[in-house]
Amino acid sequence: MKPERGPLRVALLGCGVVGSEVVRLLREQADDLAARVGTPLELAGVAVRRPERVRAGVDPALVTTDAQGLVTRDDVDIVVEVIGGIEPARTLMLEAMKTGKSVVTANKALLAEDGATLFAAAREYGADLYYEASVAGAIPLLRPLRESLVGDHVHRVLGIVNGTTNYILDQMDSNGAGFNEALEEAQALGYAEADPTADVEGFDAAAKAAILAQLAFHTPVTAADVHREGITEVSAADVAGAKGMDCVVKLLAICERVPSDGGAQDGRNGRGVSVRVYPAMIPRSHPLASVREAYNAVFVEAESAGSLMFYGAGAGGAPTASAVLGDLVAVARNVVGGTPGPVEVTYAKLPVLPMGETVTRYYIHLDVTDEAGVLAAVAAEFARHEVSIQAVRQVGLGEEAQLVVVTHRAPDAALSAVVEGLRGLDSVREVASVMRVEGEE
Amino acid sequence: MKPERGPLRVALLGCGVVGSEVVRLLREQADDLAARVGTPLELAGVAVRRPERVRAGVDPALVTTDAQGLVTRDDVDIVVEVIGGIEPARTLMLEAMKTGKSVVTANKALLAEDGATLFAAAREYGADLYYEASVAGAIPLLRPLRESLVGDHVHRVLGIVNGTTNYILDQMDSNGAGFNEALEEAQALGYAEADPTADVEGFDAAAKAAILAQLAFHTPVTAADVHREGITEVSAADVAGAKGMDCVVKLLAICERVPSDGGAQDGRNGRGVSVRVYPAMIPRSHPLASVREAYNAVFVEAESAGSLMFYGAGAGGAPTASAVLGDLVAVARNVVGGTPGPVEVTYAKLPVLPMGETVTRYYIHLDVTDEAGVLAAVAAEFARHEVSIQAVRQVGLGEEAQLVVVTHRAPDAALSAVVEGLRGLDSVREVASVMRVEGEE
């Protein structure tokens, strides 16, 4: 038996929406937490920039503006970082680990930009670094990927990981609204921020995709490696076109192994991984299609486990705090036991392939002249780039003549080249819409 | 730094569908597993009753019929039990822990019947006992409940945890089949066994409900504590009635806290917990309603995390083996680190309430005489037991006159008493269908 020890002391960095929920849960769940950890968890201090803004329920005697002093204090065992952003969060977390503390964080931006530095520090100093709250709020997702599926072989992670854009696209799908109209409504309801760039341009989803890909494929991936397209160009016509195909448009984060071309040297890992974020059509029968409003869901395909889906609220103070507390208990148990948990390992080191080599499918909507030979000219353009057509449909006549083409799977570069070629055809008046199609063919 | 150690040696008990998949994954994923554990995992022996039946891919030199000898061998570090059933599995697992081995098991029946004995042994001998594979196959569910939501307060777990019955009910819903017809089809397709009792009478689901309730509420619950009703009485008329209410019939495992009547002494834990398995109507808009065929899904409602859902294949050799491997890596890491993981704690010790005190809603379908005063007589019966009616609808006339009544929430005992009372009314020719309604009111 190990000797009895006193309470574990927790330093909290940041006390906004998430931080004040963490404080509340530490107080209200104190008995349960102590029973699970084996010793009480005690708040040692709360570092904030503006103490006058700290909400009711936080003991003023614990509040400090000296975050650096707090994380290096001898009487602190664990640091919880919910400030967000790159600095000072990175420096504070590194200081904490250097002085023997373990860290729980919800900081997706930092993990996606410079996770390697943090993981290296965790390894060097024997500290824990847990970050379940950084992706998909309270949905337990990183821990299952990291631990439950560790004996399995993950082929693909396909997820809706940004609630704001899902809310906007869901509105566009439900009532035919355009992007701007749906964005304004999302802002009025508090689902989108005044400056919605991080969400609607896909930066938030790309950071999460990097974190997921790294865990799923044991390979270093940063936000800069992620091919990113936002939803600002998605039109009401695109959404209507998806409906016509019995599909729905979702902003997807996709992490997948790209199978080898048959070269045996690639082995089971394939040629590399593809990590990307873009709006795409998925069939309405796909489990992700029914994810409404601001909910998140992540679909995982693994060799043995088959298809799994994790669904829940992807953001918000209370759900994020729930994930932080789950990590805090795990870290606290490791501190009590004297053994840190698993540090991320990126031993597979697979290459992240450029978007052009990623294999996907296209939906292409063309306004065409209504004359003999149009289809032949269009089909020739596809053939020239060795892209196989799955279905083609002509709609309307005369000035309204349109072609809808759906391809089989092909490298994205070939598909892009086809679209370029179509734009140059005399018989094509306009390429009205181009969208990728995901989910099974 | 701890000293380097040799491979960890794994003894496998049972080599059927799941066991042979475990052997395959141990071989094919060997490099990944070694990287995650920090040292290779090596198969030390495979105990079976009939060696001649062991499938190809298992080294015959490792096969033994002496399970007792295998689990007590000094060169074995971890025991994986996939025999199933109560004995000899229990004795073998206890022997293994007594001689210092940690255990991974998929044995839901044993855990639901006598988990307390196993947990006590794990605690006494400082061994790990992991059992993710016992509920919902490869869906990571126990670990999230046990670890991710540990700082949260779970209100309810509502799940489809038996694939056979979900397949049958889905067929009945999709094509109007009766129970026997759907069961025969499920048997022909291999979704149901020749003797389907464990599935269709709800025994399998009840064992899983006991395991889930214990984890969610930190309270000892055995299969005997679970109120259990199977699906053999579900008729095509019940399913059609559900459709008329925009509902679907599912076999649900429900674990929930029963709120106090306002008595402050009950605190946040409520009066106790209710754990039950029965077919019930849920609205088609509920995420569980869209779980088709033999898939499983579990919906968790927690105070901070909100609503979460976990979805995937709930059975089968490969998914179950994936869950076993996830546990095996966790246990192996604990062995390498010298610290066992969390042992189940049932510190809350909440009472499991009898079904009569469980609060639920009823759907009641009556064949009635078509005369004045029927509705008044029926309504009086509800009023006599203080059950409030949410909606009542009359269908048909004369010989075909029918009443459909849906209640508000009330104690199950009161609802049962209402049904008894209705059976005694002259104006009620038959109580054609009674079914509980779950999901939000």
Side-chain angles (χ1 to χ4, degrees):
Chain A
M1 292 292 293
K2 304 202 181 264
E4 289 288 319
R5 58 169 300 156
L8 283 182
R9 292 174 54 84
V10 178
L12 181 64
L13 307 181
C15 199
V17 179
V18 176
S20 50
E21 274 294 313
V22 170
V23 172
R24 186 179 69 80
L25 290 174
L26 277 174
R27 188 177 57 238
E28 291 185 3
Q29 302 280 90
D31 292 349
D32 271 15
L33 294 169
R36 297 302 276 185
V37 173
T39 191
L41 296 177
E42 199 173 275
L43 202 55
V46 181
V48 296
R49 271 198 303 162
R50 287 187 288 265
E52 67 280 8
R53 291 211 191 164
V54 170
R55 289 151 211 238
V58 180
D59 180 354
L62 295 177
V63 176
T64 173
T65 54
D66 180 14
Q68 170 79 22
L70 179 61
V71 300
T72 53
R73 257 167 57 183
D74 284 344
D75 66 334
V76 167
D77 299 293
I78 302 170
V79 172
V80 172
E81 185 273 317
V82 289
I83 310 173
I86 306 301
E87 286 294 349
R90 175 169 49 198
T91 301
L92 292 171
M93 287 159 68
L94 291 172
E95 279 292 322
M97 291 192 276
K98 202 175 288 184
T99 53
K101 284 113 190 161
S102 285
V103 171
V104 173
T105 177
N107 195 325
K108 61 180 167 279
L110 175 53
L111 280 159
E113 182 170 312
D114 195 17
T117 300
L118 296 171
F119 296 131
R123 209 173 295 115
E124 183 174 353
Y125 302 111
D128 273 341
L129 175 65
Y130 277 51
Y131 53 98
E132 179 70 72
S134 66
V135 181
I139 307 174
L141 178 62
L142 303 191
R143 197 186 302 241
L145 272 179
R146 188 158 80 160
E147 302 178 9
S148 305
L149 292 174
V150 71
D152 206 333
H153 190 71
V154 175
H155 292 305
R156 185 186 297 174
V157 178
L158 189 70
I160 295 168
V161 294
N162 180 273
T164 303
T165 48
N166 201 60
Y167 184 87
I168 292 170
L169 293 170
D170 186 33
Q171 289 299 305
M172 293 174 71
D173 182 64
S174 303
N175 57 32
F179 170 77
N180 287 316
E181 188 188 336
L183 171 60
E184 278 168 28
E185 193 196 323
Q187 286 171 320
L189 291 170
Y191 286 122
E193 302 193 35
D195 176 359
T197 310
D199 293 317
V200 300
E201 295 292 2
F203 289 101
D204 175 83
K208 293 165 178 169
I211 294 171
L212 289 171
Q214 176 152 317
L215 271 179
F217 305 130
H218 318 305
T219 283
V221 181
T222 71
D225 298 322
V226 180
H227 174 86
R228 177 189 51 76
E229 300 174 29
I231 65 163
T232 56
E233 305 289 315
V234 177
S235 66
D238 292 333
V239 173
K243 273 195 175 164
M245 304 246 310
D246 209 21
C247 283
V248 58
V249 177
K250 295 289 188 190
L251 181 69
L252 297 178
I254 305 170
C255 317
E256 68 185 359
R257 292 183 197 273
V258 179
S260 73
D261 308 318
Q265 74 284 3
D266 294 336
R268 330 181 44 239
N269 280 329
R271 283 199 297 131
V273 299
S274 165
V275 191
R276 55 209 205 254
V277 167
Y278 47 62
M281 295 184 182
I282 52 169
R284 281 193 192 264
S285 57
H286 195 284
L288 286 178
S290 57
V291 177
R292 308 292 304 274
E293 303 192 330
Y295 277 92
N296 281 196
V298 176
F299 197 75
V300 176
E301 295 171 29
E303 184 167 296
S304 295
S307 299
L308 301 171
M309 191 171 80
F310 304 80
Y311 166 97
T320 307
S322 169
V324 167
L325 264 281
D327 277 357
L328 185 54
V329 168
V331 167
R333 290 190 52 87
N334 292 342
V335 172
V336 170
T339 315
V343 173
E344 297 322 310
V345 281
T346 52
Y347 53 86
K349 295 193 174 37
L350 302 175
V352 179
L353 301 177
M355 188 59 204
E357 293 183 35
T358 292
V359 173
T360 175
R361 297 164 64 207
Y362 270 31
Y363 158 97
I364 302 166
H365 187 154
L366 305 171
D367 289 342
V368 294
T369 57
D370 187 19
E371 55 190 21
V374 171
L375 184 55
V378 166
E381 203 53 45
F382 282 84
R384 198 155 72 84
H385 297 284
E386 297 182 15
V387 172
S388 166
I389 292 175
Q390 187 203 358
V392 59
R393 200 180 47 177
Q394 178 155 3
V395 192
L397 291 169
E399 286 294 299
E400 304 288 310
Q402 301 179 322
L403 276 184
V404 173
V405 183
V406 180
T407 74
H408 282 296
R409 286 162 60 83
D412 200 77
L415 291 158
S416 295
V418 169
V419 173
E420 268 322 293
L422 293 172
R423 288 205 168 97
L425 291 183
D426 288 342
S427 51
V428 170
R429 289 178 300 157
E430 194 193 350
V431 179
S433 173
V434 176
M435 193 162 282
R436 296 188 185 86
V437 182
E438 298 288 343
E440 285 316 292
E441 193 165 350
Chain B
M1 292 295 292
K2 307 204 181 259
E4 289 289 318
R5 59 169 299 156
L8 282 182
R9 293 175 52 83
V10 177
L12 181 64
L13 307 181
C15 200
V17 179
V18 177
S20 50
E21 274 295 311
V22 169
V23 172
R24 187 180 69 81
L25 290 174
L26 277 173
R27 188 177 55 239
E28 291 186 3
Q29 302 279 91
D31 293 349
D32 271 16
L33 294 169
R36 298 300 277 184
V37 173
T39 191
L41 296 178
E42 201 174 274
L43 202 55
V46 180
V48 296
R49 271 197 302 164
R50 286 187 287 265
E52 68 278 9
R53 291 211 192 164
V54 170
R55 289 151 212 239
V58 180
D59 180 355
L62 295 177
V63 176
T64 173
T65 54
D66 180 13
Q68 171 78 21
L70 179 60
V71 299
T72 53
R73 256 167 59 182
D74 284 345
D75 66 334
V76 167
D77 299 293
I78 302 170
V79 172
V80 173
E81 184 273 317
V82 289
I83 310 173
I86 307 301
E87 287 294 351
R90 175 169 49 196
T91 300
L92 292 170
M93 288 160 69
L94 291 173
E95 279 293 322
M97 292 193 274
K98 202 176 286 182
T99 53
K101 284 114 190 159
S102 285
V103 171
V104 173
T105 177
N107 195 325
K108 61 181 168 281
L110 175 54
L111 280 159
E113 181 170 314
D114 194 18
T117 299
L118 296 170
F119 296 132
R123 210 174 292 115
E124 182 174 351
Y125 302 111
D128 272 341
L129 175 66
Y130 279 48
Y131 53 98
E132 180 70 73
S134 67
V135 181
I139 308 173
L141 178 60
L142 303 192
R143 197 185 302 242
L145 272 178
R146 188 158 83 159
E147 301 179 9
S148 306
L149 292 174
V150 71
D152 207 332
H153 190 72
V154 175
H155 293 305
R156 186 187 297 174
V157 178
L158 189 69
I160 295 168
V161 294
N162 180 274
T164 303
T165 48
N166 200 60
Y167 184 86
I168 291 170
L169 292 170
D170 187 33
Q171 288 300 306
M172 291 174 72
D173 182 64
S174 304
N175 57 30
F179 169 77
N180 287 316
E181 190 187 337
L183 170 61
E184 278 167 28
E185 194 196 322
Q187 285 171 322
L189 292 169
Y191 286 122
E193 302 193 36
D195 175 359
T197 310
D199 293 317
V200 300
E201 295 292 2
F203 290 101
D204 175 83
K208 293 165 177 169
I211 294 170
L212 289 172
Q214 175 151 317
L215 272 179
F217 306 129
H218 317 305
T219 283
V221 181
T222 70
D225 299 322
V226 180
H227 175 86
R228 176 190 52 77
E229 300 173 28
I231 66 164
T232 55
E233 306 288 315
V234 176
S235 66
D238 292 334
V239 173
K243 274 196 174 159
M245 305 245 311
D246 209 21
C247 283
V248 58
V249 178
K250 295 289 189 188
L251 182 69
L252 297 178
I254 304 170
C255 318
E256 67 185 359
R257 291 183 198 273
V258 179
S260 73
D261 307 319
Q265 74 285 4
D266 295 335
R268 327 179 48 237
N269 279 328
R271 284 199 296 131
V273 299
S274 166
V275 190
R276 55 209 205 255
V277 168
Y278 48 62
M281 295 184 181
I282 53 169
R284 281 192 194 265
S285 58
H286 195 284
L288 286 179
S290 57
V291 176
R292 307 291 305 274
E293 302 191 332
Y295 277 93
N296 282 196
V298 176
F299 197 75
V300 177
E301 295 170 29
E303 184 168 295
S304 295
S307 299
L308 302 170
M309 191 170 80
F310 304 81
Y311 166 96
T320 307
S322 169
V324 167
L325 264 281
D327 276 357
L328 185 54
V329 169
V331 167
R333 290 190 53 86
N334 291 342
V335 171
V336 170
T339 314
V343 173
E344 298 322 311
V345 281
T346 51
Y347 53 85
K349 296 192 175 37
L350 302 175
V352 179
L353 301 178
M355 188 61 203
E357 292 184 34
T358 294
V359 173
T360 176
R361 297 165 65 206
Y362 270 32
Y363 158 97
I364 302 166
H365 188 153
L366 304 170
D367 290 343
V368 294
T369 58
D370 187 18
E371 56 191 20
V374 171
L375 183 55
V378 165
E381 202 54 44
F382 282 84
R384 199 155 72 85
H385 297 285
E386 297 182 13
V387 172
S388 167
I389 293 175
Q390 189 202 356
V392 59
R393 199 178 46 170
Q394 179 156 3
V395 193
L397 291 167
E399 287 293 300
E400 304 288 311
Q402 301 179 321
L403 276 184
V404 174
V405 183
V406 180
T407 73
H408 282 297
R409 286 161 60 81
D412 200 76
L415 291 158
S416 295
V418 167
V419 172
E420 267 322 291
L422 293 172
R423 289 207 166 96
L425 291 183
D426 287 342
S427 51
V428 171
R429 288 178 299 156
E430 195 194 350
V431 178
S433 173
V434 176
M435 193 163 281
R436 296 189 186 85
V437 182
E438 298 288 342
E440 285 316 293
E441 194 164 351

